Amino acid sequence: MDEEKFKKIVIDNGILSKEEIEKLITEAKTHKISPEQYLINKGIITEDLLYKTIASSLNVSFIDLKGKIIDPKVLFLIPEEMARTHSLVVFEKDEKELKIATLDLENLESLQIIEFIKRKTNLEAKIYLTSPSSLESALRQYTKEFEKKIKGFLEEGKIEETEKIKKKDKVLEEEIAKSPSVIKIVDTLLEYAITKNASDIHIEPEEKNVLIRYRIDGILREITRLPKNMLPGIVARIKILSNLKIDEHQIPQDGRFKISSPKYEVSFRVSVFPVLEGEKIVMRLLKEKGEILTLEKLGLLPKQLEIVKRNIKRPYGMILVTGPTGSGKTSTLYAILNVLNTPQVNIMTIEDPIEYRIPGINQAQVKPRLGFTFATGLRSILRQNPDIIMVGEIRDEETANIAINAAMTGHLVLSTLHTNDAPSALPRLLDMGVLPYLISSTVNLIIAQRLARRICRKCIESYLLDKKIIQEIEKELKIDFNKLLEVFKREKVISEKESLESLRFFRGRGCKECDGEGLKGRVGIFEVLEVSKEIAKLIDKKATTEEIKKQAIKEGMLTLLEDGFIKAKSGITTIEEVLRVAKE
């Protein structure tokens, strides 16, 4: 949308003042994000309300396409690639009229496409404004044709027999990797993963098939199976993209490549690993221009958020985020960095890998083969006059001691540890050889976390918790529901009058929007431990994890399990999800 027109709409509708919108647009440009999206990300207005306001100001109708089933014959009046590139979709058609939804009413190329569709169909077009998430919901319906597309590519041309490929002829492998059908299949697998918001693609050779799985919202899901004779061509194609050795099949290889479009820029971190039935490939998707992260969007409860905000304002010390791989630790660190990222400070990071590029922050990637480790990188960073340092992970005694000393000498240090909960991070540092008084005087805050899947908002329903289920949960997790009830009351999740018999929880029935899962998206479950004077004394005495945990709970810390159950009771996630992540 035209910048001046957007400013006028925002000011005229009382969303922001002239000074505030000018500042917001400047910040949005710094973060390389549209002013509309930046306004939403800052929590100033909801997405639907903003686009409804814009539609009303421009005298056009607004349409919400979430959950709307579009006839494929209507949808495919605009090809998928064109629809995604120009952010528009045909969603209804009758004898006289086409109904088209778009994000931009003034895009000349989009208007040309609409004119082309009008001439092609001899129908008038009625244009609606929609929101980004609504449009994405509609665009997802193109992916129903995924299997059909793959089958079509398989039939386009015969791939050379597996027996020929087994000769390990490099020239032949390169030739197969460049065949149109292989290129189309690999491109489709990558694009489909992006549209499904997958974090990883797994290409796994079996005896007779090639299994394709995506990790979506933390869970691996089977997407399709391909004939086994497709494996060499797919592997060779991905190796070419990643600049790896095509004729090397006996040892693991690691690489990286990037694909870009007007809508996205995604890096793929590639791992090739020889297994019994061939070579397995895992690709991690890293969005180069991901949505700006905010602390508010992570899922911290109000008291937890207040503690985190208080501690990131401190000029020096250490903040640690703990949890298993894939628990969202890096996202939390980036959210903190986004708050701290101002022109007045020098922020430097050393990461493995760099998952998001953040303008204004100096980010470095470790290269262990060249001797560039977390420890060596951290030493060098200290010579760069930083104010704030992020170390991707503290893995050893050397890194731990350098980081602690940096925190002691006037730097704010952010890092991660692999521990199950927040209290156990403190003894873990002791085990690494860090002296107790250094830990107690530098560590300000520890955040432990897991990621649970959110309940789909389109098919959410409530239910009363059965007594048998309560007994099973109590037995499995060794928790007392009556004590949990007191936590709910203390945190004002329920009223004082509620009892176990009246406890309502939530789940998703399963619908088109969530692919029948009842779950969509993820939310953090947290344990936030602030190092108080009493906890610092316990650290000095080399107290056990249990002793530290007991004191933290006494001071009001919610455990991971309690935080999870509060989110389940609030309709954010399900009890089953809390139980699943509690086992990690």
Side-chain angles (χ1 to χ4, degrees):
M1 173 182 271
D2 177 72
E3 191 176 291
E4 291 305 316
K5 193 173 284 187
F6 177 69
K7 283 183 193 175
K8 188 175 186 308
I9 290 170
V10 170
I11 295 164
D12 288 352
N13 285 278
I15 299 169
L16 291 175
S17 67
K18 185 178 179 181
E19 293 74 21
E20 287 170 331
I21 188 60
E22 291 285 358
K23 184 182 176 185
L24 181 132
I25 287 173
T26 302
E27 288 178 5
K29 287 176 180 176
T30 302
H31 290 284
K32 297 181 179 177
I33 195 168
S34 73
E36 296 95 324
Q37 192 60 51
Y38 194 70
L39 193 67
I40 296 161
N41 291 346
K42 295 282 281 184
I44 295 165
I45 191 170
T46 63
E47 183 185 74
D48 276 1
L49 184 55
L50 174 62
Y51 281 87
K52 282 176 183 175
T53 304
I54 293 171
S56 175
S57 299
L58 297 175
N59 294 314
V60 296
S61 299
F62 175 84
I63 182 72
D64 183 0
L65 297 170
K66 296 189 208 68
K68 182 175 178 59
I69 298 170
I70 304 172
D71 183 340
K73 289 179 183 176
V74 174
L75 185 70
F76 277 88
L77 285 170
I78 298 177
E80 181 179 1
E81 189 176 344
M82 190 180 289
R84 289 188 178 280
T85 301
H86 299 288
S87 299
L88 75 168
V89 65
V90 183
F91 64 91
E92 269 184 35
K93 170 180 172 286
D94 58 29
E95 293 178 356
K96 295 180 180 179
E97 192 176 64
L98 286 172
K99 292 183 179 179
I100 301 174
T102 182
L103 289 181
D104 190 350
L105 297 165
E106 298 168 335
N107 185 302
L108 290 175
E109 289 185 5
S110 297
L111 292 173
Q112 287 170 0
I113 292 164
I114 291 167
E115 284 300 316
F116 171 75
I117 297 296
K118 283 167 64 177
R119 288 196 301 272
K120 182 182 174 182
T121 59
N122 289 318
L123 296 171
E124 285 302 310
K126 184 174 181 182
I127 311 301
Y128 291 75
L129 188 71
T130 191
S131 66
S133 62
S134 168
L135 181 73
E136 186 56 40
S137 176
L139 292 174
R140 258 192 239 108
Q141 295 187 45
Y142 280 104
T143 59
K144 273 190 161 186
E145 303 296 309
F146 173 73
E147 288 280 353
K148 203 182 287 183
K149 284 172 79 174
I150 292 290
K151 284 178 183 175
F153 298 148
L154 289 172
E155 290 166 8
E156 265 186 26
K158 281 194 173 181
I159 308 301
E160 285 81 351
E161 295 295 325
T162 307
E163 286 73 25
K164 290 180 182 178
I165 296 162
K166 282 181 179 175
K167 293 176 182 177
K168 305 295 183 278
D169 185 324
K170 183 180 177 181
V171 175
L172 182 57
E173 286 188 55
E174 285 183 358
E175 188 180 318
I176 294 166
K178 291 174 183 176
S179 72
S181 53
V182 168
I183 291 171
K184 287 175 184 176
I185 286 171
V186 171
D187 286 352
T188 302
L189 291 175
L190 299 179
E191 287 165 12
Y192 190 51
I194 293 168
T195 62
K196 296 295 284 183
N197 286 319
S199 61
D200 302 87
I201 303 172
H202 289 241
I203 299 172
E204 304 172 344
E206 298 180 326
E207 187 179 355
K208 296 179 180 178
N209 298 298
V210 180
L211 174 62
I212 309 294
R213 296 197 289 171
Y214 293 168
R215 190 176 295 279
I216 301 169
D217 291 338
I219 306 295
L220 271 174
R221 301 177 189 176
E222 181 175 332
I223 300 301
T224 190
R225 289 174 186 262
L226 301 174
K228 183 65 178 285
N229 66 348
M230 290 298 304
L231 180 67
I234 290 171
V235 170
R237 175 65 185 161
I238 292 169
K239 283 181 177 178
I240 287 172
L241 289 172
S242 312
N243 199 27
L244 300 176
K245 294 179 181 177
I246 300 175
D247 55 343
E248 178 55 75
H249 304 277
Q250 304 302 318
I251 60 172
Q253 295 189 72
D254 295 321
R256 193 173 178 132
F257 66 92
K258 184 190 294 185
I259 60 174
S260 301
S261 83
K263 294 289 289 181
Y264 55 75
E265 193 170 313
V266 180
S267 283
F268 291 79
R269 197 177 77 207
V270 180
S271 171
V272 183
F273 191 84
V275 294
L276 181 63
E277 298 294 343
E279 288 175 280
K280 175 182 175 178
I281 293 179
V282 175
M283 291 180 276
R284 167 65 56 88
L285 281 70
L286 304 169
K287 290 181 181 177
E288 297 276 318
K289 296 176 182 176
E291 179 188 339
I292 186 169
L293 298 154
T294 64
L295 287 172
E296 288 77 10
K297 284 192 173 183
L298 294 175
L300 290 157
L301 296 177
K303 287 180 185 176
Q304 295 171 330
L305 185 59
E306 186 186 330
I307 292 168
V308 173
K309 284 184 173 180
R310 181 167 66 240
N311 278 276
I312 64 178
K313 286 178 182 176
R314 297 174 74 171
Y316 60 89
M318 183 178 280
I319 295 173
L320 294 170
V321 184
T322 78
T325 301
S327 59
K329 299 187 296 295
T330 305
S331 294
T332 299
L333 288 179
Y334 281 143
I336 293 171
L337 286 178
N338 268 321
V339 176
L340 297 169
N341 187 15
T342 65
Q344 291 76 38
V345 293
N346 176 20
I347 302 177
M348 302 197 68
T349 76
I350 178 163
E351 307 172 54
D352 185 24
I354 296 171
E355 294 194 18
Y356 297 97
R357 299 180 193 277
I358 308 176
I361 293 179
N362 306 285
Q363 297 171 266
Q365 166 80 48
V366 299
K367 298 180 180 71
R369 290 179 185 175
L370 302 176
F372 185 16
T373 63
F374 281 120
T376 56
L378 188 49
R379 268 202 205 88
S380 296
I381 279 176
L382 291 171
R383 301 187 199 108
Q384 292 281 316
N385 190 29
D387 299 293
I388 298 159
I389 302 166
M390 186 185 100
V391 186
E393 185 183 345
I394 293 176
R395 296 176 180 172
D396 51 53
E397 182 181 344
E398 187 181 10
T399 309
N401 276 302
I402 299 168
I404 287 281
N405 278 291
M408 273 195 75
T409 53
H411 304 89
L412 183 61
V413 179
L414 314 176
S415 193
T416 70
L417 274 177
H418 281 283
T419 60
N420 289 329
D421 58 14
S424 59
L426 298 165
R428 175 81 180 107
L429 290 171
L430 284 171
D431 293 341
M432 284 184 172
V434 182
L435 294 171
Y437 80 91
L438 290 176
I439 300 170
S440 63
S441 59
T442 56
V443 178
N444 298 335
L445 182 71
I446 303 160
I447 305 167
Q449 68 181 78
R450 302 289 189 276
L451 286 176
R453 290 182 291 172
R454 288 179 180 269
I455 298 172
C456 173
R457 307 324 293 174
K458 287 288 181 181
C459 60
I460 187 170
E461 63 181 12
S462 68
Y463 67 98
L464 284 169
L465 202 58
D466 187 84
K467 283 185 179 179
K468 286 184 179 179
I469 297 174
I470 290 175
Q471 289 168 0
E472 286 174 15
I473 293 170
E474 286 183 327
K475 186 179 178 182
E476 187 175 351
L477 295 179
K478 296 177 182 176
I479 60 169
D480 184 340
F481 249 88
N482 286 306
K483 287 184 179 178
L484 199 57
L485 205 66
E486 292 306 311
V487 172
F488 288 165
K489 290 175 182 177
R490 188 187 78 209
E491 298 298 318
K492 295 182 172 52
V493 180
I494 60 173
S495 69
E496 289 293 331
K497 294 178 182 179
E498 282 200 64
S499 63
L500 277 178
E501 290 71 29
S502 65
L503 274 187
R504 280 197 169 271
F505 284 85
F506 301 84
R507 61 194 169 202
R509 290 187 305 275
C511 65
K512 183 177 179 60
E513 185 70 18
C514 59
D515 293 332
E517 292 273 330
L519 299 156
K520 187 179 179 184
R522 290 195 285 179
V523 66
I525 291 175
F526 297 95
E527 190 172 86
V528 178
L529 189 159
E530 189 173 26
V531 178
S532 63
K533 288 181 181 178
E534 291 304 315
I535 290 174
K537 287 176 185 176
L538 289 174
I539 297 167
D540 289 335
K541 293 175 184 176
K542 295 186 178 180
T544 64
T545 297
E546 282 306 311
E547 289 171 326
I548 294 169
K549 184 174 184 177
K550 188 177 178 181
Q551 179 60 32
I553 291 171
K554 185 180 175 183
E555 293 177 9
M557 182 189 80
L558 287 172
T559 66
L560 281 163
L561 206 54
E562 289 169 345
D563 186 61
F565 271 102
I566 286 171
K567 289 184 170 79
K569 182 68 192 76
S570 304
I572 297 169
T573 188
T574 64
I575 286 179
E576 290 76 14
E577 276 296 289
V578 174
L579 298 179
R580 180 180 68 82
V581 300
K583 291 173 183 175
E584 291 181 354

